[in-house]
Amino acid sequence: MKSRSTGGSSCNASSNCSKFQAEVYCHHKLSAVLRTAKKGVNEGKMFYGCPLWPKNSCGFFVLVNDLGADATLSHHCNKNCCEDQVLKLKTKNEKLKKELWELRIELKKRSRGEKVALIGLIFSWIFFALCWMLKKN
């Protein structure tokens, strides 16, 4: 996540003006939108959220009070990114574990089938040899 300080005092209609305005990017790498919470535990607090909310939101949410300086913002955003990556990797890991388990089961089934086929081949050779020896005598 990138952040940068802009010296301007631009505001939207639903927010209070502040001397420090930060440009914040969501997980989609889009400029986050400054909003005010209308209900819940954060009612009345300003926060940055994904501009694609509610349809295609990446879940990005940072309270303005939590930002502090750019360094804090950068750390917070990187932490959120890392948490998302960890979650994605855990999900991928679970899928790979399931796929590995299925492949092991398939391998066991095939190796059993190969053993049965090999035993059948050996018995057929023995049967052929016995028939050949009986025919010869």
Side-chain angles (χ1 to χ4, degrees):
M1 296 294 143
K2 296 180 182 177
S3 67
R4 72 172 182 239
S5 164
T6 57
S9 63
S10 59
C11 315
N12 60 23
S14 65
S15 69
N16 297 329
C17 294
S18 66
K19 292 178 184 176
F20 175 78
Q21 194 76 21
E23 190 166 337
V24 182
Y25 296 90
C26 74
H27 303 302
H28 291 120
K29 308 284 191 238
L30 299 172
S31 185
V33 178
L34 185 61
R35 298 187 173 107
T36 302
K38 297 192 186 333
K39 56 184 175 180
V41 294
N42 295 317
E43 184 176 356
K45 294 181 182 177
M46 293 175 57
F47 67 93
Y48 286 99
C50 178
L52 302 178
W53 181 83
K55 293 184 180 182
N56 295 320
S57 177
C58 62
F60 181 78
F61 173 87
V62 180
L63 287 170
V64 172
N65 295 343
D66 292 344
L67 296 180
D70 277 345
T72 307
L73 170 64
S74 179
H75 169 73
H76 187 77
C77 293
N78 287 336
K79 182 181 175 189
N80 283 347
C81 291
C82 290
E83 288 172 354
D84 287 348
Q85 287 177 343
V86 167
L87 184 61
K88 288 177 186 176
L89 288 172
K90 283 182 179 179
T91 304
K92 188 174 184 179
N93 187 26
E94 290 303 316
K95 284 182 181 179
L96 289 172
K97 282 182 181 179
K98 183 179 177 183
E99 186 178 339
L100 178 62
W101 182 256
E102 290 171 355
L103 288 172
R104 284 180 177 167
I105 291 171
E106 184 66 27
L107 181 62
K108 284 182 181 182
K109 286 179 184 177
R110 289 180 186 226
S111 64
R112 274 190 227 133
E114 289 174 2
K115 286 178 186 175
V116 169
L118 182 60
I119 291 170
L121 181 63
I122 291 170
F123 279 123
S124 68
W125 287 344
I126 293 171
F127 181 72
F128 175 75
L130 287 175
C131 288
W132 182 73
M133 287 170 59
L134 286 175
K135 207 178 213 187
K136 199 174 185 181
N137 290 334

